Amino acid sequence: MASVESNPKPFSLGPYQVSEDCGFLLKEPLQELPPHYQPWMDIARHIPELVQSHELRSEIHKMPMLSSEFLQNEKELRLAHLVLSMMTMGYVWQEGEKDTVEKLPCNLAVPFWKVSQSLGLPPILTHADGVLANWMKKDPEGPFSMENLELLISLPGGDSVRGFFLVTLLVEVAAVPAIKNIPVVINGVRCGDTNAVVQALENISQSIQDMTDALKLMHVYVDPSVFYGIIRIFLSGWRDNPSMPKGLIYEGVQKEPMEYSGGSAAQSSLLHCFDELLGIKHEESSSSFLNRMRDYMPPAHKQLIQDISCQPSLKSFVQQQNCGHLKQTYHLCVSKLLALRNYHITVVSRFITVPAARTRQLRKQSQDLEDETVTRAPIALEERGTGGSGIMHFLKTVRDQTKDAFIPETS
């Protein structure tokens, strides 16, 4: 009789807070917190205007100290985390890099810390907040489209900040078929079902292509000078950031400052899942940053990535099966992932590298810079990502390591 170990239960997405129609997105996020938390909502809904008028910090100082104990469930906690994280980013960066703060006031810091502890998330804005839990459909029965989506809470940056978060969300939506097919690949490898693996890999390849196509909408909906000059600082953290070398004290939580990385595409679980599935290995410096970014994901999503990595190797399966079609579809998947990473480099170049070069040029010319949006960007971020990485070097290294997944031709 087969033992339990030799005949494990089929791998499924069930335990990982991943839905078959929304992927990693929080399904139907709440739009309101219980009435007790109205003071939070009143401020959070007006962050862009309050930053513009330099009044956000003073409004937060007047906010009552509210206990998080009345938040009843995951969706209420996720909305609270989104609201408190957006307020925190606005509070810290209201005056740009020239007048940062050393302390987050206790009426914001204490509930933010407790909500974060409940969720297993850090007390800073993450991809899980700004993208995965920050959306509503205007028509609930309508499609995931720019026309039918709206943010729940926003930051300074107008239409471009809306575009940035929602295009990123559409990339997540485009990945849903790929995520659904990961268990099909794993179970197919386990039982040697080559046909099932081939079909699933074809579906994943198409889904990754759709992700690349969705990412192209950044050029339509986001102005590079607004992203670089206004939005980007509000995504920045207080780790590896020269603007806040000591980190941030969360008043009422602990007396020593804490350091957290800002928002990063590396906090999306998608590419982590694909890398583990396809057997893509990253060098030590890249993998240490990527592994650290997993601490900024909902714990169930982080666990999914870990559990995919523990499954029988797809790459070894492809090498062992003498099947040209299987090898071809595996290579197609790797090629699509490589193309996505290449395109991401193109986007980062347009939205960060080019504006950074223009800003340096304008500073050298010592012109009147007030009318140039790009020059409002913090100098500290010119060569770094908001997550704290040396961004272009990191992206190119990760891209190059993806190429190593191709299986060499054998004679």
Side-chain angles (χ1 to χ4, degrees):
M1 190 182 215
S3 69
V4 174
E5 287 77 13
S6 64
N7 187 23
K9 287 194 301 186
F11 191 89
S12 82
L13 298 176
Y16 301 107
Q17 294 180 1
V18 182
S19 78
E20 294 233 331
D21 48 354
C22 289
F24 290 111
L25 298 184
L26 181 64
K27 197 169 182 179
E28 297 174 356
L30 293 181
Q31 298 173 34
E32 293 288 348
L33 287 172
H36 179 72
Y37 300 101
Q38 196 59 44
W40 292 355
M41 298 301 296
D42 288 343
I43 293 175
R45 288 224 164 91
H46 297 97
I47 289 170
E49 306 96 283
L50 290 169
V51 168
Q52 176 76 25
S53 63
H54 303 274
E55 294 175 308
L56 179 62
R57 288 179 184 169
S58 60
E59 288 299 312
I60 285 172
H61 289 153
K62 292 185 273 188
M63 197 169 71
M65 170 69 92
L66 301 176
S67 168
S68 61
E69 67 182 353
F70 304 112
L71 297 165
Q72 299 288 316
N73 53 51
E74 175 88 7
K75 285 191 175 182
E76 289 185 1
L77 286 165
R78 288 289 292 274
L79 179 55
H81 200 274
L82 168 64
V83 163
L84 295 167
S85 65
M86 291 287 210
M87 280 198 275
T88 295
M89 304 318 265
Y91 184 91
V92 169
W93 299 114
Q94 175 179 290
E95 305 301 328
E97 68 178 337
K98 296 183 177 64
D99 182 18
T100 55
V101 295
E102 294 183 355
K103 286 184 183 176
L104 198 65
C106 61
N107 58 344
L108 178 51
V110 170
F112 193 16
W113 177 260
K114 289 185 175 174
V115 168
S116 299
Q117 292 290 295
S118 298
L119 288 169
L121 288 171
I124 192 170
L125 179 69
T126 68
H127 178 84
D129 302 304
V131 177
L132 302 183
N134 189 23
W135 61 276
M136 58 168 281
K137 286 184 176 180
K138 296 173 187 173
D139 172 8
E141 304 303 316
F144 278 103
S145 67
M146 291 300 289
E147 296 72 29
N148 193 42
L149 287 166
E150 202 47 79
L151 297 178
L152 300 176
I153 308 293
S154 195
L155 288 169
D159 289 341
S160 286
V161 82
R162 173 184 179 272
F164 173 74
F165 283 127
L166 292 181
V167 169
T168 308
L169 179 142
L170 291 179
V171 174
E172 292 274 347
V173 171
V176 171
I179 300 304
K180 281 165 57 174
N181 275 278
I182 287 175
V184 182
V185 171
I186 290 169
N187 294 323
V189 169
R190 280 181 181 178
C191 66
D193 187 343
T194 303
N195 289 337
V197 174
V198 165
Q199 181 62 58
L201 289 176
E202 286 175 349
N203 293 337
I204 291 171
S205 297
Q206 182 57 56
S207 187
I208 296 174
Q209 177 63 56
D210 293 341
M211 291 168 64
T212 305
D213 292 341
L215 187 57
K216 291 175 182 176
L217 294 173
M218 281 291 177
H219 302 297
V220 179
Y221 290 99
V222 185
D223 179 330
S225 64
V226 174
F227 176 79
Y228 185 78
I230 297 174
I231 299 169
R232 202 161 164 252
I233 192 170
F234 292 99
L235 307 176
S236 305
W238 24 99
R239 173 174 173 157
D240 302 325
N241 188 340
S243 297
M244 294 181 68
K246 297 179 182 175
L248 182 68
I249 294 170
Y250 288 71
E251 197 175 45
V253 176
Q254 72 171 44
K255 292 180 180 175
E256 295 302 312
M258 293 187 261
E259 297 185 339
Y260 293 102
S261 298
S264 168
Q267 293 172 6
S268 168
S269 302
L270 297 174
L271 297 194
H272 293 255
C273 287
F274 300 150
D275 282 349
E276 297 296 355
L277 185 73
L278 296 170
I280 293 165
K281 306 297 182 191
H282 296 292
E283 67 167 35
E284 189 175 346
S285 63
S286 302
S287 66
S288 71
F289 176 74
L290 288 167
N291 286 334
R292 180 153 60 84
M293 290 298 99
R294 294 182 185 181
D295 294 334
Y296 292 73
M297 300 172 184
H301 298 173
K302 178 182 177 181
Q303 189 63 52
L304 172 61
I305 299 163
Q306 179 61 34
D307 289 352
I308 292 170
S309 76
C310 296
Q311 301 306 311
S313 165
L314 167 64
K315 188 173 181 179
S316 297
F317 178 75
V318 173
Q319 289 170 308
Q320 289 160 7
Q321 306 294 307
N322 188 18
C323 176
H325 194 193
L326 174 62
K327 187 173 177 183
Q328 189 179 12
T329 53
Y330 173 82
H331 278 187
L332 180 63
C333 254
V334 176
S335 297
K336 294 294 184 184
L337 187 57
L338 184 61
L340 175 59
R341 284 191 155 129
N342 266 322
Y343 193 75
H344 188 212
I345 290 169
T346 302
V347 171
V348 168
S349 178
R350 182 168 182 230
F351 285 84
I352 297 175
T353 311
V354 172
R358 173 164 172 72
T359 304
R360 284 193 292 271
Q361 180 187 20
L362 288 167
R363 286 199 184 107
K364 277 181 192 167
Q365 292 169 354
S366 300
Q367 295 173 350
D368 179 10
L369 303 178
E370 287 300 311
D371 295 333
E372 291 285 350
T373 304
V374 290
T375 60
R376 297 187 219 167
I379 296 170
L381 284 178
E382 279 182 5
E383 299 299 333
R384 306 190 73 74
T386 48
S389 63
I391 192 161
M392 276 314 227
H393 174 73
F394 168 75
L395 292 175
K396 287 178 178 177
T397 303
V398 168
R399 184 267 317 273
D400 292 343
Q401 286 151 357
T402 305
K403 294 176 186 173
D404 294 341
F406 288 116
I407 299 167
E409 293 295 330
T410 52
S411 55

